[in-house]
Every structure is written in structure tokens, then in C-alpha cells.
Amino acid sequence: MGTAGVSASCINMASCSSLKILTLLSLFLSPTIVETNNIEAKAGQFFSSGHTNNWAVLVCTSRFWFNYRHVANTLSVYRSVKRLGIPDSHIVLMLADDMACNHRNPKPATVFSHKNMELNVYGDDVEVDYRGYEVTVENFLRVLTGRLPPSTPRSKRLLSDDRSNILIYLTGHGGNGFLKFQDSEEISNVELADAFEQMWTKRRYNELLFIIDTCQGASMYERFYSPNIMALASSQVGEDSLSHQPDLAIGVHLMDRYTFYLLEFLEDIHPSSTTNMKDLFKVCPKSQCVSTPGHRTDLFLRDPGSVLITDFFGSVRKVEITTDTINLTAPMVHLEDTRPVRELRTEIQTYMDQLPVAEIIHQKPKQKDWHPPDGFILGLWTLILLVFFKTYGIKHLKHIF
Amino acid sequence: MGLLSDPNRRRALTNLLTRLNAPICVVCYLAGVMWFMGLAFEPFTLRTYMSENAMGSTMVEEHFPAGERALATGREFAAHKKKVGGMPVNWLVKTMESRGLEVFTQSFTRKLPFPDENKERYLVRGTNVYGILRAPRASRTEALVLTAPCSQGNANNQAVGLLLGLAQYFRSQVYWAKDIIFLVNEHDLIGMQAWLEGYHHTNTTGGDWSPLHGRGGSIQASLSLELSSDVITSLDLVLEGLNGQLPNLDLANLFHAFCQKIGVLCTIQGKLQRNDWESTSGYSHSAQTMMLMVLKQASGRPWGDHGLFLRYHIEAATIRGINSFRQYKTDTTTIGRLLEGMYRKLNNLLERLHQSYFFYLMPSLTRFVSIGYYMPAFGLLAVILLLRALDLWVQLGASAPGTEDGLAEREQSPSSPGVLSILTPVVISHMTGVALYCLPVMSQEMAVQHFPVSETEAVVLTAIAIYTAGLALPHNTHRLLQGEGTEHGWRVLKLVALLYLAVLLGCTALINFSLGFILALSLVPIAAFITPHTHKPLSAAIMVLLSPGCTLLYCVLIFQELQETPVSLQDGWMLFLSVISQGILDHSLYGSLVYPLLALLIYPCWLLLWNILFWK
């Protein structure tokens, strides 16, 4: 820019020498100018994923000693999520039963996920927010939608905003279209989809990752219709999710297969890894899981290949150290670049027309299906028949019947 | 017009009924017997499976190490038992306390109605000793029980030793969610009955026992151990309890699962399972196993110490160690591991066993038939009674407008001679039944004074005497009867008798299918075909041969045959007498209902039929 202008206005040879020095100087300066542009471009990248905070809602819905593996599943995801940076204040952990202190546990105060007691996922710093009989469908939906009584403590609330990425993990016993809570009630996939829609209209999430590890788990995400949701399930409709391995000292199955391999996959993730969602979809193929894991990405706006695992599982703050100054008073040009994308999003973000009066008023009457004639016409016909037989004799009746 | 209100059609139906009645009855009887025998055929049975989720698929590694030490303890117990000449209460209390249990004793006395061969005295006195292992972290709401009987002589010493060894091993574990009660009871069933009554604060049989000072909560399940040798070749499972009640099938499934896991040979009714169900011998083997179970259930007595728990809705079974001449022997450590595994599984229970069947028959340890499959066999037999009753009803209805000379006497008093003529045999039969129930026990002193027999024999012989005296009744009641000899009279009586028998057998079969079925097998033919017009000597002989008493004799002989210890008629007779005395004793000691049922209800019914035979 500067060089061309200088050379264009260089008419007389006398000022050309000073101009030459100027061009040489600008040549030296341009890398630094390019650098500043690079920093600003990177600064633009900070806000490309769109979220500023991460939340996690981890739910184990089954109780009783023989459902040890569901508690171990949830605790292992909790452990990974905490390790990758989401703090306890941003995790809502719901465990329906206490396995660590169950009377039948031969190793009290521990919950193991690998046999031979390799990995204790209970640890020293577990914070369970909803425990025992507090894990109900009503409480779960209230947590998601935020409709909690004013006396609820902060640790039991999901205080997310429209810039939060939320990870929701459910495990337990499920069937086609429902998930069993506590052996006494169920949540259906329609209820869950409606809860997510409520979250969307209340702007309670930016993007949502839904993982479910139950039998026929794929039925639970079939009914979602809100945008920005990506869903994974451990088995398709009609398939059972199987457990991984029993521990012969404790006497229960320790983990489910899908979560076991998910945990193995997550153990390799660290806060700065760039693994994306496409690798998560590959976790636990049919050869290892026996069931076929499924996923759903049609409601998600970004390409799954560009979504990092740490966007949901970790609370990653992008920090880039620079000694240069960035001019924040000047308007950031790249904002205009992203605005068209935002435009697209705002189109989808319109509220649904609650009462489409125009459609109702100007509707053409529907073509009614043929139906048998009503009572008046039947009576009329009977009258006609009776008159006919009366005039022509009743004995003809027996030829008809 | 409706089928039954149109007189023409009604007449056609009733003609059909009268014509085809006898063939249908015969066909139904044969079908019922064939259905019952077909229950043992393997393709008609189901494989057993574990129904309770809490006792599911996961297995635990058992670590019980101390089999030899258990045997040493057993020998010590035997020595002390011989020294004391009964139950070594102080030694047991001291040993259990040293193992860390909370020990309590209960003393009991029981007055027998008559001394039987085993006890030989009227009063039985004893002590039960039990120790409670408290669950380390749980509250004291539920319990499991392990019992071993303190028998006389050299029996069951190893069982008590293993019980104490397991108590020591269990005490050092932290994973118990229920209290475990280790009970050593004296005098087998009498002591067990006293303990159970004391535990549940009930007194149904009139015993006298000291109250229990220590309790463990509601008992979920119980196992009784009978082990009389250091090594065994197989383990036998005994399920039949008082009044034919059976524990939940899941307990048998649990036992079988552990036998398979540990590799011990397991049997039921003492018979090993065979794989060749297609061959005749294979089928007869499972038929024999099933018949043994049916006969044991029909006797209504508890076949192990576990039998008395079932009344309190506690699932219980007896495990008996058998040492026969097989090559592969199992040692005490392995039995201890099997019991440890079973108790760890029972520990996982959250509620009482209720998912599996309570009414079933087992042709082998891995196959069962549930109530839905075996009840039609009885139903076919009951249908015969109903068909005959219907036939009689039709005959009675048809003969009423038919007789003309009977019109005059009918006009005078239409129903009172009818009712009275039936009432007399019914009342007299039932009074004979009451006499059969009460007199043997009440009159034993009188009998002993006049005859040189022991009390037991006196009781039994009095019972048989009253039974045979009933055979003479028809000749005597006729003197009291007014409407003697009428066709109408015996038909009404037979109708009443048929319906009465149908209701009786139906109710019995619901509670104790085996008893109902065996009684039906012998009583239904005679009830169906007996009339005063049949050939009297032949019918009388058949009736006596199929009477309840003789049915009992046949059952005793068949039972001995199936146990592979066949007896001659002489020994069979002695066994029969002892069975009668055991039945009377069981009734007064534990509340078994077989003897009152036979004496008060079945025998009068048979007497009614006998009355019909000698109506003229």
C-alpha cells in the first residue's frame, strides 16, 4: 500500500532517493505490519467457536448394587471432564445410588472402573450434586430448563447462558423411546426433546453434546428438533448395550463397554489436543462394543470435523502470549466476515409463530372424506323401502333376506 | 331360542350327555394320567433359569480356605457331644463367642401326644444355640440363616464343624449387608419349630420355649446343612417342606449355578441327571425323579430342617452331602466355597425371592414344570366328577316328572324325606371321621392297659380299627334311615358326594398338587362308577383296594421302590404303620394338615360312597 503510493507519486528524480529510503524502511516495517494483522486474525479466531464457558450435566439413573456399572460410567466421565478443566461449580453430577458406601462393597469408599482395581474413579474430591432419591425426572428437567425454586443452591443449578457449551451424559437402563429413572419412572424422548427446545428458546446453550449409554440409546435422540445439538448413543434401536467386564472380587460388572472405550479415548485427550468429533464417532466400533454406536449431527451447524473434543469435554481458555499491542479501539474488520454466518443463524433463531391466524382464516375448507350418510338419510331410505314393500307386498321381503 | 332353554335342544344335549358320559369319563381319566406322565418328558419341560436380577450373572471368586480346620472343629464337637450325651451347649457357646459372634441359647420342652420310636418318651427337652454375625455397616433389618442339626450318634458332626468354620471366615469380611445367624438346633424339627416360633413371636403348635434374647431382623433366606462325612461325592438338594410347600425356584437355580461353577456333582431326590431323554430308560429316570418329588410333597411332612421355614415365607432348602462309591471326591474346602458363593449371592438380594415360581415339579435339577403345565392333569380328573354330577342331575330331573306312583308320597312331604335320608349318612360318616381323628390319641392309655402293645402301636392300631369299623356302617345306618332303598335317595346322595369330593380335591390340589392328584387318581374312578346296582362283592373289593388307607400303603411301597430299597409286603406293612404314626405326630407337633384332611374330610367322603354301594 505504502510502497505503491510512494512509487506513483515519485515524479522528479530529486525526491526519489528519499523515497527509496522510505520504501526500504517500509520493506522492513511490512513484516511487522503483517505480524500485527496475523495477531488480529488470531484474535478473531478466539471467538470462532462461539462459546465462552463449558458446563456438564452427568446423570446416572439407576440404583441397586447390581447397577454398579452405571455409577462407574458416570464417575469416569466426571473424572475426565474435571481433568480437562471444567470445575465442580460448572458440573451438575446426579447419582441415583451410593455404590461407594453400599454395605455390599468389599472396598468401601471406592468405585472402580477397571478390574483388578486399577482405577478408582471415586477419588477424594467427588462432588455429587443430586444424590439418591433426588435424581428424578422432574429434577432433571428442572435443572435443564432452569425452573428451580429460589431456594435451590448454586451447586444444583445449571447456570448456563447463550455462550455455554453443555455436555449432557445419561446412563442407566433404557428402552425404545424411554430411559428408566430409579426403577419407578421414565423419561421419554419427546420430553427430552421438548426440554432441549425450552433451553434453546431461553437461550440456555450455545451448543449441546448429548451422550447416552443405555440399551436402544439411539431412540432417545431421534426426536430432537432444536438446533446446535450433536448426539451420540451406545446402541441402535433394537440393540442392547452390553457391560464390559465383571470384577471377581467385587462381584459386579464394573463398566459398560461404550463408556469403557470412551474413557480410554478420553484418557488420551489433554487440554490442548486438537482431536475432533469425528474421532469421537469412531469410539467403540461394533467389534468392541457388540452394539452399533450411533450419532446424529444434522441439527449441528458446524462441521463435526471442526469441532474439538475439548469444546465440550474441557474448559479450554485459549491463551496466546504476545508482546505486541493490539488496537482494540479500531473496529475489527473480521466481524463483518462472520456477520453473514450470524445472519444465517438469526434466520433460524426466529420465534415460532404461536398462533398463525392468517393461515387459519384464509384456509380453504379441506376436502372432506366420504363418510356414510348420517341418520336422516338412513331414515329416509328406510321409509322409502317400507313404502315400496307395502305397496308391492311384504312377501317379497323374504326374497331379499 | 337359547341352547338350554329350548326343550328340544335341551333334551338332545342331555341325551348326548347321558350316552357319552361313560366314554368321556374314561377318556378324561386316561388323558389325565398320560398328561401327568408326560410332564417328565424333556421336550415338555422348561430349562431352569435365574429370574432374580439381583442374583444375576456376575460371579465372585470364593476364597474360603479352612476346610481342614472345620473338620477338626467337627471332631471336637463330636467328642464333646459324646461326653455330654446330648448337645454340648457350653462348648458351642464358647466356640461361637471366640469366633466373634453374639451367642444366645434357647431351651424348649415339648410334650408329645404319644412317644414315637425315635424319642421313646413323652417329654422332649432340648436347647438351641445360635450366634449372630452382625453386618459391619448395615442396620439390623435383614438376616440370613445357616443351620446344622445336632443329631445323635455320629451324624452331622462335619456339618457343625463347617458351620463354625464358615462363621469364622465370614466374620472377617466387610461386605455383608445382612446379619447372618448360625443356628445349631437339637432334636431336629422340634428344636427348629421352637426356634422359629420364638423368633416370630407366634405359638401355633403349643410348645413351651424360652423367649429369644437376640434377633437379627426379618429372615430373607435360609440353608440347612447335613454333612456326615469328611469327603463327599455329591450334594443333594431337598426342597419339599411342610404341607408340600416348596421354596422359590430361584433357590434351586442358585444351588445349581454354583454346583456348575465349582464343579461339584449335584443331585435332586438322590438321582443324578441323565442326558439321554430320548431313550426309554432316560425318560423313566426323570419320571422316577418326578414321582419321588410328588410322593414326598404329598406326604406333607418336612423332609429336612428347612421345611418349617417355608411357613413363615422364608425361602429355605436343605443341602445334604452324600458319600457314595464314586471316584471323584470333593473335600470340605470346596463345600465351604460353594456355601460362601451362595451366601454372597443371597447377600445381594434387595427383597425376598419372589421372581421365580413357587409351585413347580422338577423331573431333574435343570428342568421344571410350573403350575400352569401340571394343573390340567388334575383338571381332567376333576372334570370326570363334574360330568357324573351333571349326569345325575339330569337323571334326577328326568325321573321327577316320570314317576306317577311316587306322586302321592311326594305330595305329602316333598323334600323332607329326601333331605333327611341324605343327612343321616353324611352326619354319621363325618362323625366316624371325627372319631378317627380324635380317638386314637385319646384312648391310647386305655388301649395300652388292655393290650400288650406300646403306645405308638396302640395309636396306630386304634386308627386302623376305626377305619375298618367304618366299613360296617352301611348295615347299621340303614336302621335309622327312612327313605331306604329309593332310587331317588341314592342318586341325591351320590350327587352330594360327587360335588363334595370335587370341591375337596380341588382345594387340596391348589395347595398341595401332589396330594390332590394322588387322591384323585384313586377316588375319582370309584366315585364315578359306584352305584348300588353294580356287582356287590367285586365293587366292594375294588372300593376297599382304592380307599385312602390302601392308597397310602401303595404310595409307601412305590416310594420304597423308587428309592431303590424295595421292601417285602411284611416290611412294607410295618413301614405303613410307622407312616401313620408319623402323620399323627407331624400334625400335633408342626401343624401338618395331611392327617386331619384324610381323617376328617376324605375318609367320610369315601364312607359316603361306601354307603351308596350298600344302599339296598
Side-chain angles (χ1 to χ4, degrees), chain A residues 64-66 100-109 246-253, chain B residues 53-54 57-61 137-139 142 174-178 344 347-350:
Chain A
F64 305 140
W65 174 245
F66 54 89
C101 298
N102 193 311
H103 308 310
R104 296 169 183 80
N105 195 345
K107 298 271 178 279
D247 182 291
L248 294 174
I250 303 178
V252 284
H253 285 276
Chain B
N53 264 334
S57 56
T58 54
M59 295 290 192
V60 185
E61 276 274 313
R137 292 173 279 147
S139 54
E142 291 172 349
V174 293
Y175 46 67
W176 297 112
K178 303 180 205 290
R344 273 203 84 174
N347 184 39
N348 284 348
L349 279 178
L350 296 148

Side-chain angles (χ1 to χ4, degrees), chain B residues 2-17 393-394 397:
Chain B
L3 204 63
L4 291 176
S5 47
D6 179 13
N8 288 332
R9 290 207 178 167
R10 197 179 178 184
R11 220 175 298 130
L13 264 181
T14 48
N15 283 344
L16 203 70
L17 189 68
W393 178 262
V394 161

Side-chain angles (χ1 to χ4, degrees), chain B residues 5-6 9 16 21 47 101 133 140 198 201 210 287 308 318 342 345 356 425 470 475 504-505 565 575 608 612:
Chain B
S5 47
D6 179 13
R9 290 207 178 167
L16 203 70
N21 208 319
R47 184 167 277 281
L101 310 176
L133 180 135
R140 302 172 177 187
H201 305 296
S210 65
L308 298 170
T318 300
M342 284 183 80
K345 272 281 163 93
S356 191
H475 305 285
L504 209 57
L505 289 180
T565 53
L575 209 56
L608 281 179
I612 294 172

Side-chain angles (χ1 to χ4, degrees), chain B residues 164-208:
Chain B
L164 294 169
L166 280 172
Q168 185 164 31
Y169 177 68
F170 284 176
R171 184 70 181 85
S172 59
Q173 309 301 323
V174 293
Y175 46 67
W176 297 112
K178 303 180 205 290
D179 293 347
I180 304 187
I181 303 178
F182 295 92
L183 168 69
V184 181
N185 54 325
E186 199 176 354
H187 299 301
D188 302 318
L189 289 167
I190 301 177
M192 186 59 85
Q193 181 69 19
W195 190 81
L196 280 169
E197 283 184 351
Y199 198 87
H200 291 97
H201 305 296
T202 62
N203 199 336
T204 49
T205 55
D208 189 23

Side-chain angles (χ1 to χ4, degrees), chain B residues 522-559:
Chain B
S522 59
L523 287 175
V524 161
I526 50 180
F529 291 109
I530 216 75
T531 61
H533 305 297
T534 51
H535 184 76
K536 281 223 181 8
L538 184 66
S539 313
I542 292 179
M543 270 207 81
V544 169
L545 282 178
L546 289 178
S547 68
C550 290
T551 316
L552 185 59
L553 179 61
Y554 305 148
C555 286
V556 167
L557 292 173
I558 294 175
F559 184 72

